[in-house]
C-alpha cells in the first residue's frame, strides 16, 4: 500500500520535539542535584537518550525541507504524545522506587494528558526530582506539547505550524489571535505563565513551601491533579489553599484565547460578554448548589465547618478535569456520585486545559435541539445555531454531533470491557469517564480504598488509550486507525 505522507518531515519534526523534551528533563535533574538526591542520574540517562535520539534524527534529516499538511499534522500530533511518553517514562523506571513498563507509561501519559491518575501509591516517598517531573509533564501538556513547540521554535511560524495547531487544539473552531501562528502560541503561553506565577505566589504566601507551591500550581493550572502529598491538598488543612486553587482551576477552565483578548483590550467585557463563559459560570454555581444538598444531608451540622469549601473545591475540580480529591467525598452518597460523573463528562470551556466534552458543545447541542422543536411547529422557517454571536455552519453542528456520539460510544465500549474484568458497572463507568475526560478522580476500586495501580495490565492499557483519545479529542487520534488515511 503506497502513501503520500511526507515521512521525512514527520521524523524531522519529532526530532525537534525530542530535543525540547531533553531540555525539559534538565530541570528535575538540577532539582535532584540541588536536594542531594540519588535520583538525579535517572534524569541524566533520560536526558542523554532524548538528546542522542533527537540529535541523530536532526543529522539524518538535515536536508529534508519540512512540509506539513493536515495529514502530517495529525500523525505528528498523535505520535508526539507516545514518543514523549517513551522517553519521559525512563526516570520512573530507573528511580529509587521504580515502576514497571506498564505503570511507568501510564504515569507519564497521565501526566502529559493532564489526567492525574497515578500508579504511585506513596508519593511522599518519591524524590523531589520525580515529583517535579510529574508536575512538569502536566504543565507542558496543559496547553499541548505541539502548542508549546510552536511558541519556542520560530521555524514553525508558517502553514506547517497551523496544520499542527489545528490537529492538537481543542474546540469547535480554531481562531487565531494573530496572523502568525507563533504569535498566537506566545500570547496564550504568556497568559498561561502569568496565571502560573500568580498561583505560585498566592500558595507560597499561605501554608505551602516554594516547592509544593510550584508542583500544586502546575497541577491546578494544567487541570492535572498530581499532588506532592498522599492526602492531596487536604494535607495542608487550609481553606485558604483550597479557595486559591478553586479560583485557579476555574480560570484554567476558561478559554485562554478569551482570557488573552480581555488582557489585550484591558476590558472584562471580553469575558463577561461571552455566552460560553456565562454558561460555564452558571453550571458551576448550579452544580455547587446541588452538591451542597447531599453534603448537608450527610454531614448535618458540620457543614459550616469547611464542608462548603470542600463542595466548591470538588465541583470545580471535577468540571475542570483537575481531579484533586476531597477526603470523604465518596461518602456523600449516590446523588453526589451521579453529579460528579456528569461534571467529568461535561468538562469546562473549549480552548482551556480541561478535558471532557466541553460546555460549548453542550450549548450547541441544546440550541440545535430547541431549533428542531421549533422546526416541528414551523417547518418552513430557517433556523441557525449561534455561539458567541456567530452562526455556525451545519457542517460544524454535524461534527459536534458526531464527536459527542463517538465520545459516548467510546465510554460505553470501554466500560463494557472493564466490566469483563469483574469490576462493578459503577466502578468501571467512573474510571473510564475519569480517564477519557483526563480527570483522574477515583471512586470505589480506584478511590480511597483502592488505586489505579491495582488494576490489571489490560485495563491500564485501555485507560491509557482513553486518556490519549480524550486529550486529542478523539478525531485526531482515531483517524490514524482508518486504513484510507494511510493510502495515497
Amino acid at each position: 500500500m503506497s502513501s503520500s505522507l511526507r515521512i521525512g518531515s514527520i521524523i524531522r519534526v519529532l526530532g525537534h520535539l525530542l530535543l525540547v523534551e531533553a531540555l525539559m528533563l534538565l530541570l528535575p535533574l538540577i532539582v535532584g542535584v540541588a536536594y542531594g538526591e540519588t535520583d538525579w542520574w535517572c534524569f541524566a540517562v533520560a536526558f542523554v537518550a532524548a538528546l542522542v535520539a533527537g540529535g541523530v534524527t536532526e543529522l539524518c534529516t538535515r536536508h529534508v525541507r519540512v512540509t506539513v499538511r493536515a495529514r502530517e499534522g495529525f500523525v505528528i500530533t498523535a505520535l508526539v504524545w507516545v514518543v514523549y511518553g517513551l522517553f519521559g517514562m525512563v526516570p520512573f523506571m530507573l528511580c529509587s522506587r521504580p515502576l514497571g513498563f506498564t505503570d511507568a507509561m501510564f504515569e507519564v501519559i497521565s501526566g502529559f494528558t493532564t489526567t492525574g491518575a497515578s500508579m504511585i501509591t506513596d508519593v511522599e516517598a518519591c524524590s523531589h526530582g520525580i515529583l517535579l517531573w510529574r508536575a512538569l509533564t502536566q504543565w507542558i501538556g496543559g496547553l499541548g506539547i505541539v502548542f508549546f513547540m510552536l511558541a519556542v521554535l520560530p521555524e514553525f511560524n508558517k502553514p506547517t505550524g497551523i496544520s499542527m495547531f489545528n490537529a492538537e487544539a481543542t474546540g469547535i473552531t480554531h481562531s487565531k489571535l494573530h496572523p502568525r501562528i507563533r504569535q498566537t502560541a506566545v500570547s496564550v503561553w504568556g497568559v498561561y505563565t502569568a496565571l502560573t506565577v500568580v498561583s505560585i505566589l498566592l500558595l507560597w504566601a499561605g501554608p505551602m513551601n516554594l516547592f509544593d507551591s510550584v508542583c500544586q500550581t502546575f497541577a491546578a493550572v494544567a487541570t492535572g491533579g498530581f499532588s506532592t502529598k498522599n492526602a492531596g491538598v487536604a494535607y495542608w488543612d487550609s481553606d485558604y489553599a483550597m479557595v486559591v486553587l478553586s479560583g485557579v482551576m476555574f480560570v484554567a477552565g476558561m478559554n485562554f484565547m478569551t482570557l488573552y483578548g480581555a488582557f489585550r483590550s484591558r476590558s472584562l467585557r471580553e469575558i463577561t460578554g461571552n455566552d460560553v463563559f456565562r454558561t460555564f459560570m452558571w453550571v458551576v454555581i448550579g452544580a455547587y448548589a446541588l452538591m451542597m444538598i447531599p453534603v448537608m444531608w450527610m454531614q448535618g451540622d458540620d457543614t459550616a465547618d469547611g464542608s462548603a469549601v470542600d463542595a466548591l473545591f470538588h465541583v470545580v475540580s471535577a468540571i475542570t478535569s483537575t481531579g484533586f480529591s476531597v477526603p470523604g467525598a465518596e461518602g456523600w452518597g449516590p446523588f453526589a456520585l451521579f453529579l460528579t460523573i456528569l461534571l467529568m463528562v461535561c468538562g469546562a470551556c473549549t480552548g482551556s486545559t480541561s478535558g471532557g466534552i466541553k460546555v460549548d458543545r453542550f450549548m450547541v447541542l441544546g440550541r440545535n435541539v430547541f431549533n428542531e422543536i421549533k422546526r416541528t411547529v414551523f417547518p418552513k422557517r430557517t433556523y441557525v445555531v449561534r455561539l458567541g454571536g456567530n452562526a455556525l455552519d451545519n457542517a460544524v453542528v454535524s461534527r459536534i454531533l458526531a464527536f459527542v456520539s463517538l465520545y459516548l460510544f467510546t465510554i460505553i465500549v470501554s466500560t463494557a470491557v472493564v466490566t469483563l474484568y469483574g469490576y462493578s458497572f459503577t466502578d468501571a463507568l467512573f474510571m473510564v469517564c475519569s480517564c477519557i475526560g483526563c480527570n483522574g478522580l477515583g471512586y470505589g476500586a480506584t478511590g480511597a480504598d483502592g488505586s489505579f495501580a491495582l488494576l490489571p495490565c489490560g485495563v491500564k492499557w485501555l485507560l491509557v488509550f482513553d486518556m490519549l483519545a480524550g486529550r486529542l479529542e478523539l478525531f485526531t487520534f482515531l483517524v490514524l486507525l482508518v486504513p484510507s488515511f494511510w493510502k495515497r
Side-chain angles (χ1 to χ4, degrees), residues 19-38:
L19 293 176
V20 173
E21 185 177 22
L23 293 177
M24 289 166 49
L25 286 160
L26 283 178
L27 186 56
L29 189 158
I30 294 171
V31 168
V33 172
Y35 278 95
E37 297 169 334
T38 57

Side-chain angles (χ1 to χ4, degrees), residues 109-263:
I109 294 299
S110 180
F112 280 124
T113 59
T114 72
T115 303
S118 183
M119 292 288 109
I120 301 175
T121 55
D122 185 6
V123 295
E124 293 180 32
C126 295
S127 65
H128 287 80
I130 289 294
L131 293 177
L132 181 62
W133 179 236
R134 293 169 80 236
L136 186 60
T137 57
Q138 292 181 118
W139 193 74
I140 294 297
L143 287 181
I145 296 171
V146 169
F147 202 60
F148 176 74
M149 180 201 67
L150 296 177
V152 299
L153 297 180
E155 64 184 275
F156 293 106
N157 192 22
K158 57 181 77 169
T160 294
I162 295 175
S163 296
M164 290 183 288
F165 169 76
N166 288 333
E168 183 181 61
T170 63
I172 297 173
T173 58
H174 300 152
S175 58
K176 302 194 300 296
L177 296 171
H178 300 288
R180 294 182 178 273
I181 189 64
R182 183 169 180 262
Q183 288 178 276
T184 297
V186 170
S187 298
V188 174
W189 270 96
V191 175
Y192 191 65
T193 303
L195 178 60
T196 301
V197 172
V198 170
S199 177
I200 290 173
L201 294 176
L202 288 175
L203 293 176
W204 195 16
M208 300 184 192
N209 60 37
L210 180 58
F211 181 81
D212 287 331
S213 298
V214 170
C215 291
Q216 259 59 225
T217 287
F218 282 2
V221 173
T223 62
F226 278 152
S227 179
T228 54
K229 305 297 180 182
N230 293 330
V233 180
Y235 170 87
W236 290 276
D237 191 23
S238 169
D239 286 348
Y240 169 82
M242 296 185 76
V243 170
V244 168
L245 288 171
S246 295
V248 172
M249 291 186 292
F250 181 83
V251 174
M254 296 166 57
N255 190 314
F256 276 84
M257 299 286 191
T258 303
L259 288 173
Y260 179 76
F263 171 78

Side-chain angles (χ1 to χ4, degrees), residues 100-422:
F101 178 82
T102 296
D103 287 0
M105 178 60 84
F106 187 103
E107 189 77 13
V108 74
I109 294 299
S110 180
F112 280 124
T113 59
T114 72
T115 303
S118 183
M119 292 288 109
I120 301 175
T121 55
D122 185 6
V123 295
E124 293 180 32
C126 295
S127 65
H128 287 80
I130 289 294
L131 293 177
L132 181 62
W133 179 236
R134 293 169 80 236
L136 186 60
T137 57
Q138 292 181 118
W139 193 74
I140 294 297
L143 287 181
I145 296 171
V146 169
F147 202 60
F148 176 74
M149 180 201 67
L150 296 177
V152 299
L153 297 180
E155 64 184 275
F156 293 106
N157 192 22
K158 57 181 77 169
T160 294
I162 295 175
S163 296
M164 290 183 288
F165 169 76
N166 288 333
E168 183 181 61
T170 63
I172 297 173
T173 58
H174 300 152
S175 58
K176 302 194 300 296
L177 296 171
H178 300 288
R180 294 182 178 273
I181 189 64
R182 183 169 180 262
Q183 288 178 276
T184 297
V186 170
S187 298
V188 174
W189 270 96
V191 175
Y192 191 65
T193 303
L195 178 60
T196 301
V197 172
V198 170
S199 177
I200 290 173
L201 294 176
L202 288 175
L203 293 176
W204 195 16
M208 300 184 192
N209 60 37
L210 180 58
F211 181 81
D212 287 331
S213 298
V214 170
C215 291
Q216 259 59 225
T217 287
F218 282 2
V221 173
T223 62
F226 278 152
S227 179
T228 54
K229 305 297 180 182
N230 293 330
V233 180
Y235 170 87
W236 290 276
D237 191 23
S238 169
D239 286 348
Y240 169 82
M242 296 185 76
V243 170
V244 168
L245 288 171
S246 295
V248 172
M249 291 186 292
F250 181 83
V251 174
M254 296 166 57
N255 190 314
F256 276 84
M257 299 286 191
T258 303
L259 288 173
Y260 179 76
F263 171 78
R264 187 174 57 177
S265 65
R266 301 292 193 275
S267 173
L268 287 177
R269 189 172 297 178
E270 285 280 339
I271 296 175
T272 58
N274 186 290
D275 60 346
V276 175
F277 167 76
R278 291 198 302 269
T279 302
F280 172 51
M281 180 183 66
W282 284 113
V283 168
V284 171
I285 293 174
Y288 175 58
L290 291 173
M291 190 65 74
M292 284 302 297
I293 296 174
V295 170
M296 289 188 294
W297 181 266
M298 294 295 176
Q299 300 191 13
D301 295 335
D302 295 332
T303 301
D305 188 20
S307 296
V309 175
D310 287 351
L312 175 64
F313 185 82
H314 179 77
V315 165
V316 177
S317 177
I319 194 171
T320 60
S321 78
T322 307
F324 279 138
S325 60
V326 176
E330 290 188 50
W332 290 350
F335 179 75
L337 173 64
F338 171 72
L339 187 57
T340 300
I341 293 176
L342 289 183
L343 292 171
M344 290 195 302
V345 172
C346 176
C349 306
T350 60
S352 69
T353 60
S354 68
I357 292 176
K358 307 292 193 307
V359 169
D360 314 49
R361 292 191 176 97
F362 279 111
M363 291 173 64
V364 172
L365 290 179
R367 291 172 181 179
N368 186 59
V369 168
F370 187 59
N371 283 348
E372 291 302 319
I373 293 174
K374 291 189 292 185
R375 186 175 286 112
T376 302
V377 182
F378 306 105
K380 294 185 178 181
R381 292 185 182 179
T382 301
Y383 301 95
V384 296
V385 176
R386 294 184 178 275
L387 189 68
N390 300 317
L392 300 180
D393 292 336
N394 289 334
V396 174
V397 177
S398 177
R399 182 179 175 85
I400 292 172
L401 290 170
F403 173 83
V404 174
S405 300
L406 185 57
Y407 193 96
L408 297 178
F409 178 75
T410 305
I411 290 177
I412 292 170
V413 172
S414 297
T415 301
V417 172
V418 174
T419 58
L420 291 176
Y421 282 83

